[in-house]
Amino acid sequence: TMTYVVLGFGVSGQGSARLLEAKSIPYFVYDDSLSTQKKIEKEHKSLWTQKDKLPEETTHLIVSPGISPLHPLLLLAEKKNIPILSDIEFALTGFAGKFVGITGTNGKTTTCHMLHFLLKEKGVPSLLTGNYGYSICDAVLKAKNEILIIELSSYQLAYTSRFDGLGCGFVNFNDDHLDWHLSRENYFLSKWRIYTQATKETLKVLSLSVFKEALKYVKTPLKHEDFLLVDGSEAKTYGQFFLTEHDYL
C-alpha cells in the first residue's frame, strides 16, 4: 500500500493533496509554518508535525517548489531511499492527456501565455499550469481534452525525472537561485532535466544561447539535429515554432 507525505502546503502542496484524495491514496502533510499546520488540521487533512522523522508507512514524498534541499525530511527520505517527486512528476504519472513544458530563467510565463494564445487562435483548447500559479495536480483533475501548457521552475525540475510531452522548450539562461542550487552548473542541469526523459517524438525547442551553455555542462554528447534551435528567445518565436513544427491539430 502506498502512503505519501506532502512536504509544503502552498498552492502546489494543496493541489497534490486534492489529487491524492481523488486517487484514494493515503497521505500526510507537513509544513514548517505553525499557522499553516492549523489550516491543515482545520481542513481535516492528515497533519504530520515531526520535522526529523517520517511516518513509518511512507513510500513516497512529494516536495513543493522552493523547499530547501537540506530540509530534514528530504534528507531523511534520501537516506531511506524513499522516492522524492515534484508535484509535476506526481501529476503526470498515469496522465493520458497531452502536455508541453517551458522553462528558462526569464520569460517562461510570457512564452506560456503566447503559446496559449496561439493555440486558442487555432481553436485548440489548452490550460496554463505549473509554476504559473495554477497547480498541475488541479489541472490534471480538470483537464478533458485540453493541452496542458506547463511552466516549469528549476525547483520543480530538480525532482522531476519524467517529462515526455508533445514538446518542451528552454527559453534562456542566466544566474539565478544559486543560493538553492549552490552552483551555476547545478542550476543549469536542473533546467536541462526537461529534456532528459523526452522521447524521439517530443519536439525539443532550444535557443542557441542555451545550447552553448549545455555544451559546457551536459556530459552526454549533444547533436544540433536533436533539437529545433531558435536564434533568440522571444515568446512569440517559441510559440510559433511549437505551433508550426508540431501537428497539435
Side-chain angles (χ1 to χ4, degrees):
T1 303
M2 294 187 296
T3 299
Y4 282 67
V5 170
V6 177
L7 178 54
F9 201 61
V11 172
S12 296
Q14 291 171 41
S16 296
R18 284 188 284 270
L19 185 54
L20 283 162
E21 288 172 5
K23 292 185 174 186
S24 299
I25 299 174
Y27 69 94
F28 294 90
V29 178
Y30 175 87
D31 195 284
D32 287 322
S33 166
L34 290 176
S35 60
T36 303
Q37 288 182 13
K38 290 178 181 177
K39 177 183 178 181
I40 295 166
E41 283 188 308
K42 188 176 180 180
E43 294 183 6
H44 306 290
K45 310 292 184 189
S46 298
L47 174 66
W48 184 256
T49 59
Q50 298 184 61
K51 192 173 185 175
D52 56 356
K53 183 181 179 182
L54 285 166
E56 289 294 327
E57 58 267 55
T58 304
T59 59
H60 298 77
L61 187 147
I62 301 173
V63 58
S64 298
I67 297 288
S68 169
L70 301 179
H71 193 285
L73 291 183
L74 271 176
L75 296 177
L76 190 57
E78 289 173 358
K79 185 178 179 180
K80 292 188 171 188
N81 293 316
I82 292 170
I84 301 171
L85 316 174
S86 66
D87 61 324
I88 303 294
E89 176 144 359
F90 172 60
L92 294 179
T93 300
F95 178 63
K98 297 178 179 180
F99 58 94
V100 299
I102 301 290
T103 195
T105 303
N106 302 302
K108 297 185 296 296
T109 302
T110 305
T111 304
C112 288
H113 275 275
M114 178 59 70
L115 183 53
H116 177 64
F117 171 78
L118 292 171
L119 286 171
K120 185 177 179 181
E121 290 290 294
K122 289 280 187 178
V124 181
S126 63
L127 282 175
L128 288 165
T129 184
N131 191 58
Y132 164 74
Y134 180 52
S135 164
I136 177 70
C137 292
D138 287 333
V140 163
L141 284 170
K142 180 181 178 181
K144 294 178 182 176
N145 64 334
E146 297 95 340
I147 294 174
L148 301 187
I149 302 173
I150 310 170
E151 180 183 333
L152 294 158
S153 71
S154 58
Y155 302 136
Q156 292 167 314
L157 284 167
Y159 296 104
T160 300
S161 59
R162 180 222 176 202
F163 201 85
D164 53 354
L166 287 171
C168 50
F170 192 158
V171 180
N172 53 35
F173 181 75
N174 295 295
D175 288 351
D176 202 3
H177 307 306
L178 298 189
D179 55 336
W180 194 93
H181 292 283
L182 303 180
S183 73
R184 180 182 173 89
E185 180 178 3
N186 288 344
Y187 174 46
F188 182 86
L189 292 176
S190 284
K191 293 281 193 186
W192 191 257
R193 289 172 71 89
I194 196 172
Y195 297 119
T196 55
Q197 297 298 315
T199 66
K200 289 183 179 180
E201 290 73 36
T202 302
L203 178 68
K204 298 181 283 292
V205 184
L206 183 64
S207 65
L208 284 169
S209 62
V210 174
F211 186 80
K212 290 174 183 176
E213 294 283 349
L215 293 174
K216 300 178 191 175
Y217 301 124
V218 178
K219 301 297 186 280
T220 54
L222 298 174
K223 299 178 182 178
H224 284 84
E225 56 266 29
D226 291 336
F227 301 91
L228 182 61
L229 296 176
V230 179
D231 187 8
S233 61
E234 293 81 8
K236 188 174 182 180
T237 301
Y238 262 74
Q240 287 174 339
F241 266 99
F242 269 119
L243 212 60
T244 57
E245 297 289 334
H246 203 296
D247 183 17
Y248 286 114
L249 303 177

